[in-house]
Amino acid sequence: MYNDKESQKIVDIIQNYARKHSLFILAYGTGCGAIEIPPTMTSRYDAERFGIRGAATPRQADVLLITGYLATKSLKRVIKVYEQMQDPKYVIGFGSCTINGGMYWDSYNTINVLDKYIPVDVNINGCMPRPEAVIAGFVKLQKQIQEGKADGWDKYKKNLDYYKENQKKIITNWVMPDFNW
Amino acid sequence: MEGIGYKILGAVLTTILAFVVGMFYGGFSRKIIARIQNRVGPPVWQNFLDVLKLLFKKTSVRYGVMHHLAPLWMITMSVTTLMFIPILKDGLFFTNLNFSGDLIFLLYIMVFGSLGMALGAGATGNPNTAIGVSRGLTQMVGFEIPWVMALVALMIQYKTTSVTGLMDIQSQSGTWMMFSSPFAFIAALLAMPGMFRYSPFDIVGAPQELASGPVSEFGGKYLSTMMTSGSIFAFVKLTLYVDLFMGGASNLIVLVLKTFALYLYPVLWGAVSARFRTEQSVRYFWGWPAFFGFIALLYAAF
Amino acid sequence: MSENNLHNEQKLLNLLEKKFILKGGSVRRERRVEVKVEPKEIVPVLLYAKENSGYTAFTHMSCVDWIEDGEFEVVYILWHPEEKINFFVKTRVSRDNGTLPNIDFIWRQANTYEREIREMFGIQFEGLVGREEFILEDWEHMPPMRRDFDTVKFVEKTYFERPGREDAKDVREYVQERTDEELPDFAKKYSRD
């Protein structure tokens, strides 16, 4: 009766509209860039008009903000948190430390390129990015969700071996639960 | 047969009305709090988008049968409580299932929703949920005292336990119960923010406290069910207050206006106040509100 | 500066020279006194400075790697709150399996500093109570603050190459290539040479 492709598209449009207008951020500041999140959420550069609010646990959150550098100690915990979140989930990398190592590129303890360990959807550059830049990053993520291209979570499931091999290279004491979805 | 058909249709329409109005009130409260804090808030339909997004989540994690049933229990209890409250004074669809002893019945069925959440939260094994649940139940001990005293004072004064009976008395005598038994109204009004779990009594569900307390392991579709049941329950409580103290309502527009005027009180007070600890809130409730409830009992007896 | 102002600093040096065997000591300038001792004289000197002379505040403890001499030099910095004078105590231990006495019964905050030096340089402290792992987790290589730990090679081996900075050049060379600007002489020298 109904054309299958046509009705699928309408459902997708409603789905993406609902997903892009209510993003729950996990309240977890991993690095020194976390100091730019409170100004973005409070009165002057109001992020709540986009529907963005804070959630307390990984089970309820959509977006994981990696704000700044990640030591190998934090990377282990971030991977555990990322695998506890429910699909569909998005990762935003703040600052230049997630893009190519930034100021700490030659440190023996921090990772350089975040995209090889967990899939990143949007990168915001700056050291630290100003709240206007943060909101511009969120608008870009919203546009990606609307077009259906923000599929980092799908990439993680399909290329799990590649990501796990990269992670196991630097985390030598691997005491982590198996990822089962 | 016609009566049954109208009652079923009335039940469905009441549920839809409670859902829509409850969600809009949540959006209005976020907008009002945002304007008080000198910023533009989210649009008033934001809660609908939140529930829709949570329904579209692809994976759900559950910890066993009790954890899976807890949100269903909560929403069942909310809808059941909704069925026993007369929404309008008279009319074809919205009078629902009343019988004569129903104020006492309402008193204890309103507690069942939290019981479901407590059982579900206990099944996860997360220590945050256990502490959050114990805090919530301790707070409930606090606010139940002035609330029950106010209702018992009303029942003694007018010698009836049915909500429709109290509404009839108000329409016959022409004055609202707000003015003819003022101490009961004051006691119930002071107990109201505790029932809504708004600031300053929101230690149970706030995200900064223990990772949201009891709801910290619910995600995805379970969370959407719990948000829905929360907003339906808010509408239930507001309608009960309006029926008892403000003379009910004879059509939907007056009902919405009266409940919104009453809803502004916890929202506005909550926007400017800090959070109490559990023992501070219990000590508050057993102070002046219980005192007013006691005076209401004396006033009703003599 | 007039010589009269260094009276308080000189007072401490005179007292210490009478009581302990010092390997060297001087008043460097106003508010700065330094003293060099053997490792077994650290605890008596610090206790004397804390209880008799009033240097009651422990500010810092750090370590310098003299790889040419084959020794580590550990520096303790104390502070006199009333007269506002800094006091430096310097010792040297050998690079292979050096041990120093533990001073955290004098000031409790020295525990943190000693654990950091133990993890980053490899000096053992006798009787130090605290977990072996302090900041780095699951670290099996050489203590990383030593000068013979080649950080750049370690980073290239373990972590991924950064896109866009493959040659790890200094940004001043890029600036000079892209604009025809002439850098002044003092800015051309690398500070690590």
Side-chain angles (χ1 to χ4, degrees):
Chain A
M1 306 266 315
Y2 293 102
N3 193 0
D4 263 4
K5 247 169 61 166
E6 188 67 30
S7 63
Q8 185 67 14
K9 251 175 72 172
I10 293 180
V11 166
D12 269 349
I13 290 177
I14 300 178
Q15 207 179 45
N16 293 337
Y17 185 79
R19 276 179 193 161
K20 84 173 187 183
H21 274 301
S22 100
L23 293 166
F24 287 179
I25 302 183
L26 180 63
Y28 177 35
T30 54
C32 42
I35 199 145
E36 293 287 346
I37 301 186
T40 313
M41 300 290 240
T42 52
S43 290
R44 189 163 176 163
Y45 306 99
D46 186 15
E48 202 178 350
R49 53 200 156 123
F50 297 95
I52 300 169
R53 50 174 265 201
T57 55
R59 300 272 182 220
Q60 299 170 3
D62 293 326
V63 181
L64 181 62
L65 290 177
I66 308 283
T67 59
Y69 64 90
L70 276 182
T72 48
K73 215 173 175 180
S74 332
L75 180 66
K76 204 165 150 185
R77 276 84 177 160
V78 162
I79 292 174
K80 276 189 201 169
V81 163
Y82 181 72
E83 292 178 354
Q84 272 184 355
M85 287 165 67
Q86 297 181 343
D87 296 334
K89 50 198 173 187
Y90 316 106
V91 175
I92 296 185
F94 257 51
S96 41
C97 285
T98 51
I99 303 178
N100 63 356
M103 178 159 71
Y104 301 115
W105 67 272
D106 54 354
S107 161
Y108 47 88
N109 209 13
T110 59
I111 63 173
N112 277 351
V113 182
L114 181 62
D115 202 13
K116 314 268 188 193
Y117 303 102
I118 56 178
V120 174
D121 290 311
V122 169
N123 274 315
I124 306 178
N125 60 349
C127 185
M128 285 292 127
R130 270 193 64 96
E132 291 104 341
V134 171
I135 293 185
F138 272 113
V139 168
K140 188 168 170 202
L141 179 69
Q142 280 184 346
K143 218 183 319 190
Q144 273 190 353
I145 295 175
Q146 181 71 48
E147 293 165 5
K149 294 207 172 65
D151 55 354
W153 51 277
D154 208 19
K155 254 191 333 191
Y156 192 72
K157 283 200 274 193
K158 290 197 172 114
N159 308 340
L160 191 67
D161 297 328
Y162 168 70
Y163 285 110
K164 285 296 175 191
E165 181 193 324
N166 287 345
Q167 287 163 12
K168 283 192 173 143
K169 215 167 89 162
I170 54 172
I171 300 176
T172 47
N173 189 13
W174 186 261
V175 207
M176 300 256 268
D178 291 325
F179 180 59
N180 49 350
W181 57 86
Chain B
M1 284 311 280
E2 276 194 1
I4 300 284
Y6 277 130
K7 285 223 187 282
I8 293 180
L9 192 58
V12 171
L13 279 179
T14 315
T15 315
I16 296 179
L17 171 79
F19 172 65
V20 167
V21 171
M23 287 283 170
F24 269 115
Y25 279 1
F28 270 118
S29 88
R30 278 169 85 167
K31 193 86 173 174
I32 290 174
I33 291 179
R35 293 283 173 171
I36 289 176
Q37 292 172 353
N38 198 17
R39 57 186 172 98
V40 180
V44 287
W45 57 83
Q46 179 66 34
N47 270 3
F48 288 106
L49 290 174
D50 281 344
V51 168
L52 233 102
K53 176 209 75 162
L54 286 170
L55 279 177
F56 280 128
K57 283 265 191 190
K58 286 197 195 269
T59 53
S60 296
V61 178
R62 65 168 199 221
Y63 289 87
V65 178
M66 204 60 225
H67 186 261
H68 180 70
L69 286 180
L72 300 175
W73 178 274
M74 274 184 79
I75 198 169
T76 312
M77 280 302 132
S78 296
V79 170
T80 311
T81 320
L82 182 64
M83 291 296 121
F84 286 98
I85 292 188
I87 307 290
L88 299 180
K89 272 198 258 206
D90 47 5
L92 206 46
F93 289 127
F94 290 110
T95 41
N96 298 328
L97 317 156
N98 297 309
F99 58 97
S100 66
D102 56 358
L103 199 56
I104 304 181
F105 177 68
L106 276 175
L107 262 182
Y108 73 81
I109 208 175
M110 280 168 74
V111 188
F112 271 31
S114 325
L115 172 70
M117 189 166 70
L119 284 177
T124 61
N126 192 356
N128 289 341
T129 51
I131 302 179
V133 157
S134 75
R135 279 186 182 172
L137 295 178
T138 312
Q139 246 186 11
M140 192 176 294
V141 165
F143 75 75
E144 286 279 328
I145 303 271
W147 170 238
V148 169
M149 279 208 267
L151 288 185
V152 167
L154 276 184
M155 285 195 273
I156 293 178
Q157 189 171 1
Y158 297 104
K159 302 190 177 32
T160 171
T161 58
S162 126
V163 183
T164 40
L166 286 168
M167 288 208 301
D168 286 337
I169 292 176
Q170 287 178 73
S171 59
Q172 275 170 9
S173 65
T175 61
W176 288 350
M177 208 79 73
M178 214 158 81
F179 304 114
S180 52
S181 48
F183 296 111
F185 179 60
I186 293 177
L189 202 64
L190 288 176
M192 193 173 173
M195 284 169 68
F196 276 86
R197 298 274 160 77
Y198 264 31
S199 256
F201 307 109
D202 63 347
I203 197 170
V204 181
Q208 293 93 347
E209 299 273 342
L210 285 188
S212 280
V215 297
S216 67
E217 287 285 344
F218 292 104
K221 300 185 170 88
Y222 302 128
L223 191 63
S224 72
T225 318
M226 291 174 87
M227 282 172 91
T228 315
S229 103
S231 39
I232 292 181
F233 205 53
F235 182 72
V236 160
K237 286 184 274 214
L238 281 173
T239 316
L240 186 63
Y241 265 83
V242 163
D243 280 346
L244 288 177
F245 294 109
M246 287 193 185
S250 44
N251 57 354
L252 281 176
I253 300 183
V254 174
L255 178 74
V256 166
L257 283 175
K258 283 187 185 173
T259 47
F260 191 65
L262 196 59
Y263 186 60
L264 279 180
Y265 158 63
V267 165
L268 288 178
W269 190 30
V272 297
S273 59
R275 198 174 290 148
F276 280 172
R277 290 199 308 263
T278 325
E279 63 264 14
Q280 284 174 339
S281 62
V282 171
R283 207 181 317 150
Y284 164 73
F285 279 125
W286 288 1
W288 283 105
F291 173 68
F292 275 114
F294 195 59
I295 296 209
L297 279 175
L298 291 177
Y299 182 80
F302 296 114
Chain C
M1 304 297 296
S2 60
E3 288 293 325
N4 298 337
N5 282 350
L6 303 173
H7 174 66
N8 294 327
E9 290 92 336
Q10 197 64 37
K11 190 166 61 172
L12 175 67
L13 258 185
N14 296 340
L15 282 173
L16 281 175
E17 270 168 1
K18 281 197 217 121
K19 291 194 71 125
F20 303 103
I21 311 169
L22 302 178
K23 270 177 18 188
S26 63
V27 176
R28 288 174 77 164
R29 60 172 177 91
E30 188 188 12
R31 298 186 195 289
R32 211 162 273 197
V33 188
E34 81 171 358
V35 143
K36 297 192 173 122
V37 291
E38 290 280 329
K40 53 186 189 306
E41 299 269 343
I42 296 178
V43 174
V45 167
L46 288 177
L47 273 174
Y48 186 80
K50 179 183 180 191
E51 282 158 17
N52 298 20
S53 299
Y55 286 82
T56 51
F58 177 81
T59 305
H60 197 62
M61 176 172 140
S62 68
C63 182
V64 181
D65 187 359
W66 294 101
I67 197 170
E68 299 90 6
D69 304 339
E71 283 178 334
F72 284 128
E73 179 173 15
V74 176
V75 180
Y76 300 82
I77 307 180
L78 307 182
W79 170 254
H80 196 295
E82 275 103 40
E83 310 200 355
K84 306 206 192 332
I85 303 174
N86 272 319
F87 176 44
F88 291 64
V89 178
K90 301 190 177 185
T91 51
R92 292 221 173 190
V93 279
S94 86
R95 278 184 107 237
D96 309 312
N97 308 324
T99 46
L100 281 178
N102 181 18
I103 64 164
D104 66 358
F105 59 95
I106 316 177
W107 290 282
R108 277 186 70 185
Q109 65 263 33
N111 190 352
T112 310
Y113 290 102
E114 286 176 350
R115 282 168 69 190
E116 190 208 356
I117 290 181
R118 178 172 71 181
E119 182 167 35
M120 294 290 171
F121 286 93
I123 304 177
Q124 295 296 323
F125 288 87
E126 306 154 6
L128 179 63
V129 175
R131 268 185 84 204
E132 281 289 330
E133 227 179 51
F134 183 46
I135 298 175
L136 304 170
E137 202 181 50
D138 305 324
W139 184 258
E140 297 132 1
H141 316 277
M142 186 163 43
M145 283 289 203
R146 296 189 175 201
R147 272 167 68 181
D148 47 355
F149 177 75
D150 196 348
T151 322
V152 179
K153 221 163 57 155
F154 180 75
V155 166
E156 278 172 12
K157 189 171 58 116
T158 326
Y159 304 113
F160 288 98
E161 224 176 277
R162 318 166 292 139
R165 299 289 284 247
E166 285 87 11
D167 45 1
K169 280 204 297 199
D170 200 299
V171 80
R172 286 171 281 198
E173 296 180 17
Y174 275 127
V175 166
Q176 207 164 17
E177 280 168 21
R178 287 189 193 160
T179 72
D180 289 326
E181 192 182 321
E182 186 63 38
L183 287 178
D185 270 333
F186 68 86
K188 279 192 197 153
K189 202 161 71 85
Y190 284 105
S191 52
R192 348 181 179 145
D193 291 343

